[in-house]
Amino acid sequence: MGQVIGPSAGPPQAGPNPLGGSANVPVRRGANRTVAVVDYGMGNLRSVSQAVLHVAQDSGLDVVITAKPEEVYAAERVVLPGQGAMRDCMRELADSGLKEAVLDAAANKPLMGVCVGMQMLLDHSEEQDTPGLGLIPGQVRRFRLEGQIQPDGSRYKVPQMGWNRVRQSRPHPVWAGVPDESWFYFVHSFYAQPLDAHHSAGETEYGLRFTCAVARDNIFATQFHPEKSAALGLALYRNFLLWKP
């Protein structure tokens, strides 16, 4: 079995991890319902699982970090994190035997992608010419900001690293209670470009306006890291656990 664990005027001033840096992850056991955090070797599992665990208290849900396809199939809802190069993430997802379980989740239950876990949902990435899962029609593009100047006079840097505002492109239950134009924490060199504008749930400005959250049916995903985005990031995970698409 997998490991069972149980609006501002500017960006938050505290560090990016709202749950601190403790190495001791609490344990919750006893519930019959689970949210599975998929462990295929490429996600920021500790901070994601701590955040989901924090908001899952008193929800009746167990938080399961799992590399077992059968536990992903059995879960009520699934979180797909991702970190690093998309080609590596796609290879490890396939080699781990978890790809089909994630595709099943995308067809049958609430699924939340985070960072590269969002990029993997699209058709294709420019990063090493990598095919994605094809769940959201569109492409993943590289920032091309060479020579462009930010409003403060500095040059844009790639990757984008730090806090940025998110404009909610359309209403969605996962945005519930989160003010429009709130700040979230980003670390990325590539961004999503959905083919259908309706699949864009959030946008951010960084040298250009780009999609930073996508949504379709029972899928919601963010380029930014909710688990590193203080109270409003935790609110997104809480809303995901309550969401009934």
Side-chain angles (χ1 to χ4, degrees), residues 103-157:
L103 290 172
D104 177 80
N108 294 292
K109 64 190 71 172
L111 171 69
M112 183 169 181
V114 180
C115 194
V116 181
M118 183 198 81
Q119 296 177 9
M120 293 165 70
L121 302 179
L122 278 77
D123 292 323
H124 182 268
S125 175
E126 291 184 343
E127 186 175 19
Q128 298 177 299
D129 190 23
T130 304
L133 294 171
L135 297 168
I136 303 286
Q139 302 291 315
V140 178
R141 307 291 190 191
R142 188 185 188 283
F143 281 122
R144 291 178 172 85
L145 303 175
E146 295 82 358
Q148 293 192 42
I149 304 299
Q150 300 193 68
D152 65 3
S154 64
R155 292 183 180 274
Y156 282 98
K157 296 180 180 179

Side-chain angles (χ1 to χ4, degrees), residues 5 9 30 43 65 138 198:
I5 68 171
I65 302 174
H198 185 68

Side-chain angles (χ1 to χ4, degrees), residues 73-118:
Y73 281 115
E76 178 182 294
R77 53 196 67 224
V78 173
V79 177
L80 178 67
Q83 186 169 280
M86 181 162 154
R87 176 180 285 183
D88 295 339
C89 289
M90 290 297 301
R91 182 190 65 243
E92 293 300 319
L93 185 66
D95 290 351
S96 68
L98 288 160
K99 179 178 177 180
E100 292 305 318
V102 168
L103 290 172
D104 177 80
N108 294 292
K109 64 190 71 172
L111 171 69
M112 183 169 181
V114 180
C115 194
V116 181
M118 183 198 81

Side-chain angles (χ1 to χ4, degrees), residues 5-66:
I5 68 171
S8 61
Q13 298 303 305
N17 183 357
L19 302 177
S22 172
N24 298 317
V25 180
V27 176
R28 285 188 68 249
R29 293 188 176 91
N32 295 319
R33 300 159 54 210
T34 61
V35 51
V37 180
V38 183
D39 178 9
Y40 58 103
M42 296 297 295
N44 189 7
L45 293 175
R46 177 167 294 279
S47 61
V48 171
S49 59
Q50 283 182 322
V52 177
L53 170 70
H54 182 77
V55 301
Q57 297 180 47
D58 302 320
S59 71
L61 284 164
D62 274 339
V63 182
V64 182
I65 302 174
T66 184

Side-chain angles (χ1 to χ4, degrees), residues 23 41 45 70 83 96 111-112 124 136 147-148 152 162 165 170 186 189 191 193 199 212 228 233 237 239:
L45 293 175
E70 60 269 25
Q83 186 169 280
S96 68
L111 171 69
M112 183 169 181
H124 182 268
I136 303 286
Q148 293 192 42
D152 65 3
R165 289 184 184 273
R170 61 183 177 89
F186 290 80
S189 300
Y191 63 92
Q193 190 176 69
H199 291 151
C212 65
K228 296 181 179 181
Y237 281 129
N239 289 340

